[in-house]
Structures are given as structure tokens and as C-alpha cells.
Amino acid sequence: MKEKELRRTLAVLPIGTVIKLTDLTARQIRYYEEQGLVTPKRNKGNQRMYSLNDVDRLLEIKDYLADGMNIAGIKYVYQQQQADQQAQKQRPVTDDDVRRILHDELLAAGGLDHHDQRASLYHQNPKK
Amino acid sequence: MKEKELRRTLAVLPIGTVIKLTDLTARQIRYYEEQGLVTPKRNKGNQRMYSLNDVDRLLEIKDYLADGMNIAGIKYVYQQQQADQQAQKQRPVTDDDVRRILHDELLAAGGLDHHDQRASLYHQNPKK
DNA sequence: AAACAAATGTGAGAAAAGCTGACATAAATC
DNA sequence: GATTTATGTCAGCTTTTCTCACATTTGTTT
């Protein structure tokens, strides 16, 4: 997984932050979770921790609802997407895939901005 | 400012998250702030909120300290960097700069992954 | 219209996390 | 051996988050 994606999946945002970022209420956010639309991690104290991807997901949900779709509909959309992804995994790799993957790898290799090798968010050092 | 940079400057991480990310103690993090090495924002409840850039800064500080540098030294380094940036601002724009800027802009224009135009993390909608 | 379901509001009581300020301590430096 | 530097620890208080329950609103169904 590329470092940018990693950063987007890090569950580091408490619900208060998500409230500000999405302009949803805590009640709404927890309700959408109850409905299985988002699944935040929990910290040691059992508090919900969200990733940037979760925030995007919540903004999407907000949009869908504003469009008149109901939660059952949204649930269906996400189930469908997941099914698509599963199917994708079965599909054999084409030449075109190879080219695209190679291209992505090159971008990733050149795009890092770590300050040095000793300590980094994404590659933890062994404890001393 | 490009959206990636924007994301890195968003002060959304409470100290508990930063502790996990940096493996520093709360005491250390607050002490470095006391020494002017980081300046987290505060939320409405007066709690410190850190950005990803702040986290990088803290990891840097950790490295410097591990290298035997003391806080006065680190302070000096950051003052120096800030002075450099100030000087940079005075300098006129060269042809090379223009090329680099144009290149960055193009990358940014093609690299966005917003789901749609209505709601987004980085361009808030007007309240209804 | 009455009843129902969906989505959200609201409040209580408890737990977790964060704050400041003070004092303690280990290691390095004078 | 006295100071300074960097960090640990504790106490008392505030803020945030948790779950659970009940209320309200709006659109749909009998």
C-alpha cells in the first residue's frame, strides 16, 4: 500500500474533530455506524477513532441523504461497491494493469518526503 | 496551497493520538511546546490539537535529542530555518521557479480525488 | 386521521482524556 | 556539590465521549 493511502486509513480522529470536519452531529455519526455505513476503530478507552477515509465516507453519506436517498439505499450502494471490489480481485492482471502499477510505483518512490531514516510515521524503528 | 499541504496543516489530532504516533509522553510534548518548538492549536475546550506537520516536527525533535543535541540547539535550527524562509520570500522569481510551479500546479489539478462538488473537506458549502 | 417507521434531538450519569501547576528525580554540566 | 536540563508523577478540575433511553419530526402506510 502506498504511503498516501496508509495515511488516509490511519484512525486518528476523535468524534469531536469529525463533527467539525463534516458538520454532522455526534448522534448522526453514531447512527450511521449503527446502520453499518461506517466502522470506526476504537481506542483503548473505547472511544471511536476515525480515519480521513471515514470522514470522506461520512461526507458522501451526507450528500446521498441530501439527494433524497435513504439509508437503505446507501447501504445497498456500498454493498455493491464491495462486491465489485471482490470481483476485481478475481480478475487476472492485464498488460494495462502492469503499466499502471509500474507508473504508480515510480511516483511513490519519488514522492516521499520523510525527514530522515531514523524515525517516521510509517516505518517505526525497533525499540531500543 | 496544494490540497496535500492543506491536509498536513489541519490541526485535528488530540495529544493522545500524537503520543501513540510519536511514542513521546504527554509531558515531553507539552514541554517542547513550552520551549517554543511546536505550537499546536487549541480547540474550543482549550485542548491541544496537532497537525501531521506538528507530528513530523515532534519526530524530528526526538531524532535531534537522540543525536545528543539539546533543546537550545534545536530551537536555533528552527529559528534559522524560519529566517531562511523569510529570505526566500524576498528573492525574485526565476525562470526555473516558473517551470517548477507550473509543473506542481498541473500535478495538483489532475491529482484530486473528491467524490463530488457538493461537500468536501477542503471547500465547505455555504450553510443552508 | 391514526399508526408506523426513519432520522435526528436531547438529557442523564459514568468513564476517559486532557489541562495546569507543583514537586520529585536522574543525568549532565558547571 | 550545586545547577540546569529533561522528564516523571500526582492532584484537582474541565472537557469530551460513551451508552441508553425517551422525545420529536417528517414522510409513508393502513
Side-chain angles (χ1 to χ4, degrees):
Chain A
M1 197 187 262
K2 296 192 287 302
E3 57 111 31
K4 181 177 177 181
E5 293 176 46
L6 223 181
R7 193 155 58 208
R8 293 187 63 79
T9 63
L10 270 184
V12 292
L13 311 175
I15 201 169
T17 297
V18 176
I19 287 170
K20 286 202 203 100
L21 257 30
T22 62
D23 214 36
L24 295 166
T25 67
R27 185 68 171 85
Q28 288 175 301
I29 296 170
R30 297 197 189 106
Y31 181 64
Y32 302 153
E33 175 182 356
E34 214 170 286
Q35 299 303 314
L37 297 183
V38 281
T39 51
K41 295 280 188 302
R42 298 286 184 133
N43 70 4
K44 190 174 178 180
N46 196 38
Q47 302 190 175
R48 278 164 258 254
M49 300 300 285
Y50 298 83
S51 69
L52 280 176
N53 278 338
D54 289 331
V55 171
D56 274 353
R57 167 70 66 107
L58 286 168
L59 289 171
E60 253 183 31
I61 293 169
K62 196 180 171 185
D63 285 345
Y64 284 140
L65 287 173
D67 272 4
M69 194 180 302
N70 68 7
I71 291 198
I74 301 174
K75 213 177 297 190
Y76 180 80
V77 168
Y78 289 145
Q79 282 172 355
Q80 210 52 36
Q81 283 183 8
Q82 191 166 9
D84 289 353
Q85 283 183 342
Q86 290 306 89
Q88 198 72 359
K89 275 183 184 161
Q90 301 310 99
R91 194 186 55 113
V93 182
T94 71
D95 281 356
D96 217 77
D97 288 334
V98 174
R99 270 192 296 280
R100 182 163 43 249
I101 290 166
L102 205 59
H103 177 250
D104 287 350
E105 299 284 349
L106 285 174
L107 270 190
L112 302 178
D113 57 343
H114 291 144
H115 36 86
D116 73 26
Q117 280 65 48
R118 279 163 295 165
S120 137
L121 246 176
Y122 317 110
H123 309 99
Q124 283 295 12
N125 288 322
K127 281 269 198 299
K128 3 170 192 195
Chain B
M1 195 187 266
K2 296 192 287 302
E3 57 112 30
K4 181 177 176 182
E5 293 174 45
L6 224 180
R7 195 155 57 209
R8 293 188 62 79
T9 63
L10 271 183
V12 292
L13 311 174
I15 201 170
T17 298
V18 176
I19 288 170
K20 285 201 204 103
L21 257 30
T22 61
D23 214 36
L24 294 166
T25 67
R27 185 67 172 85
Q28 287 175 301
I29 296 171
R30 296 196 190 108
Y31 181 63
Y32 301 153
E33 174 181 357
E34 213 170 287
Q35 298 304 313
L37 297 183
V38 282
T39 52
K41 295 281 188 301
R42 299 286 184 132
N43 69 4
K44 191 175 178 179
N46 196 39
Q47 303 190 173
R48 277 165 260 252
M49 300 301 285
Y50 299 83
S51 69
L52 280 176
N53 279 338
D54 290 330
V55 171
D56 274 355
R57 167 69 66 109
L58 287 168
L59 288 171
E60 254 182 31
I61 293 169
K62 195 179 172 186
D63 286 346
Y64 283 141
L65 287 173
D67 273 3
M69 195 180 301
N70 67 6
I71 290 199
I74 300 174
K75 213 178 297 188
Y76 180 80
V77 168
Y78 289 145
Q79 281 172 356
Q80 208 53 35
Q81 283 183 8
Q82 191 165 8
D84 289 353
Q85 283 183 341
Q86 290 306 89
Q88 197 72 359
K89 275 183 185 163
Q90 300 310 99
R91 195 185 55 113
V93 182
T94 69
D95 281 355
D96 216 78
D97 288 334
V98 174
R99 270 192 295 279
R100 182 161 44 247
I101 290 167
L102 204 60
H103 177 248
D104 288 347
E105 300 283 349
L106 285 174
L107 270 190
L112 301 178
D113 56 343
H114 291 144
H115 36 87
D116 72 26
Q117 280 66 46
R118 279 163 295 165
S120 135
L121 244 175
Y122 317 110
H123 308 100
Q124 284 294 16
N125 287 323
K127 281 267 197 300
K128 13 172 187 191

